Amino acid sequence: MRFVNIDGHVHALTGVFDDPTTRAIDLAEKTWHPAEPVAFLAAGGLDAARELTFADDEGVLLSSVRVDPIIPDPRMVWAVGLNYRAHAAETGRPLPEFPALFVKSPGAVIAHDEPIVVPRHVREPDYEGEVAIVIGRHARDVDEADALHYLAGVTIAHDVSARDHQYVTGQFSWSKSFDTFCPLGPLLVTIDEIDVGTLSIETRLNGDVMQSSSTADLVFSVPQLIAWITQGQTLAPGDVILTGTPEGVGAARKPPRFLLDGDLVEITVGGVGTLRNRVQRS
Amino acid sequence: MRFVNIDGHVHALTGVFDDPTTRAIDLAEKTWHPAEPVAFLAAGGLDAARELTFADDEGVLLSSVRVDPIIPDPRMVWAVGLNYRAHAAETGRPLPEFPALFVKSPGAVIAHDEPIVVPRHVREPDYEGEVAIVIGRHARDVDEADALHYLAGVTIAHDVSARDHQYVTGQFSWSKSFDTFCPLGPLLVTIDEIDVGTLSIETRLNGDVMQSSSTADLVFSVPQLIAWITQGQTLAPGDVILTGTPEGVGAARKPPRFLLDGDLVEITVGGVGTLRNRVQRS
């Protein structure tokens, strides 16, 4: 199934995100589950939603409304550096032996179609298209073989990165946490509908393809990331993991191509949809 | 003023934490402000609390109750590496040019007197006593000169650190985010009661002094940290910043002294109090 967040309520979709006939049905009116996305996941809302049937005219036309971030204020946003083989190569670094985990601030999260507003002191803002996963139940010390059981589904993230700040201290978190630097959504596709091991991902900048890869190129797969992170640490429903970006980032181009005022960045993940945001620089 | 969190409600203290006659008064019964600590701060509860007077027999004896973490589930826990001059020296690293910011998971936060439970795969757990500050109001692009205006007050944090994981990828966040690796509290002292620039800090391991310093040795002062972090990023009420640890950590000793089963770690900050936690290893 596919879900979006509209005005803080989880809605089920009757079709894919880009279809103009797709309708969004407010689950607060259809189940006893809390409608806020994290509470919905924690209460087992995904299972309840599978039992529902919808009439043809229920809900609203998705194309007529704005969506919120699929998880508006995540408790935790883990992200992982150098997790595509070809991206590690373009940065000139060896393949990591262990996941290089950093954190993005929940305050950076914005919705599909909201503007990425670059602070004035950031001179080298760069795009990073990423497959993002959303945790569905409390998870600690998870075996790789069971890891997908803890996953609610997949969404799309844009790990906007200030290259001029990323490397000066060695710690990545702050340079990737500016307000608006984490577009997230537009929708959640449940894990039963997709194969997280073979998802295509493409980032387009003003229509030009800049990144094109597949999660088959991940150094640490989605189950491996969940197993690694939960060693001694508890992930909670609604936690988000950005799984890394493929090759083709602006900083690795010759000459580098950083984000400019008015740029349109679209990230498409096969079977999931497209996350689209425009850049504002002052 | 001094505050603690008991059963999720902010309580005002009539004296210092260690005085057996100090009473804790539930502010949910004394003001119209929400009692949950973050909501209390966001609603201006500190200002309202200053107007209150208490009868001699109000509330409960603090010594008779357990306190919760002063902020139980922080939206954001920033922490900063190498922020005491003498600690940077003991690690053999140069003084940082910019704050080396990483994040601790909110899931790591525990209360005063709760056990630090070391996961089996962590072989080199280490102590780091720290002065922690709590943000009182939304803050973005703050000038250093105005920074203290955005601060609710000061508490104490223990930045428990898995040294065997901290340096393998270069990113610090994961190795410092294991469940129970962020004792926080026991109390919040408002900023008008203390001088954050000259706070003494001492860490004792089973009674032996291991760290002894003052925030006068900070590379980046509290106002400088707030001004730096909020460049293009919004801090919110209840966000926590761990300001760094002084020299004397276990990893820098010869031979190294990592935490053992049964160790008692006490961190005392002058004018604030003592945060005490015992270590459990399996």
Side-chain angles (χ1 to χ4, degrees), chain B residues 176-191:
Chain B
K176 290 165 167 270
S177 290
F178 298 107
D179 293 347
T180 76
F181 271 34
C182 191
L184 189 70
L187 77 172
L188 179 78
V189 178
T190 53
I191 186 66

Side-chain angles (χ1 to χ4, degrees), chain A residues 125-205:
Chain A
D126 200 356
Y127 54 85
E128 292 193 354
E130 308 213 2
V131 173
I133 60 176
V134 178
I135 296 296
R137 58 192 84 204
H138 286 90
R140 179 177 156 150
D141 296 326
V142 167
D143 283 339
E144 191 183 319
D146 299 331
L148 295 187
H149 176 65
Y150 295 89
L151 202 54
V154 171
T155 186
I156 308 170
H158 187 169
D159 180 14
V160 186
S161 302
R163 302 296 181 203
D164 48 332
H165 294 284
Q166 184 172 352
Y167 299 105
V168 292
T169 70
Q171 300 302 312
F172 291 175
S173 293
W174 186 71
S175 63
K176 290 165 168 268
S177 290
F178 298 108
D179 293 348
T180 75
F181 271 33
C182 191
L184 189 68
L187 77 170
L188 178 77
V189 178
T190 53
I191 186 65
D192 53 303
E193 299 232 342
I194 45 177
D195 174 3
V196 290
T198 60
L199 293 171
S200 66
I201 178 166
E202 181 179 278
T203 306
R204 295 180 301 284
L205 178 60

Side-chain angles (χ1 to χ4, degrees), chain B residues 31-113:
Chain B
T31 80
W32 58 266
H33 287 81
E36 188 278 324
V38 174
F40 173 83
L41 292 175
L46 292 182
D47 292 330
R50 284 197 185 85
E51 307 296 316
L52 299 175
T53 53
F54 305 117
D56 285 349
D57 59 349
E58 270 191 281
V60 295
L61 275 176
L62 178 60
S63 55
S64 70
V65 295
R66 293 184 63 89
V67 298
D68 291 330
I70 184 66
I71 305 289
D73 194 21
R75 189 195 75 115
M76 198 63 186
V77 182
W78 283 111
V80 54
L82 301 180
N83 200 31
Y84 282 80
R85 292 167 205 282
H87 174 56
E90 78 179 346
T91 66
R93 292 183 170 75
L95 282 189
E97 261 190 284
F98 307 101
L101 291 161
F102 57 92
V103 177
K104 283 177 84 86
S105 169
V109 170
I110 60 170
H112 177 69
D113 265 345

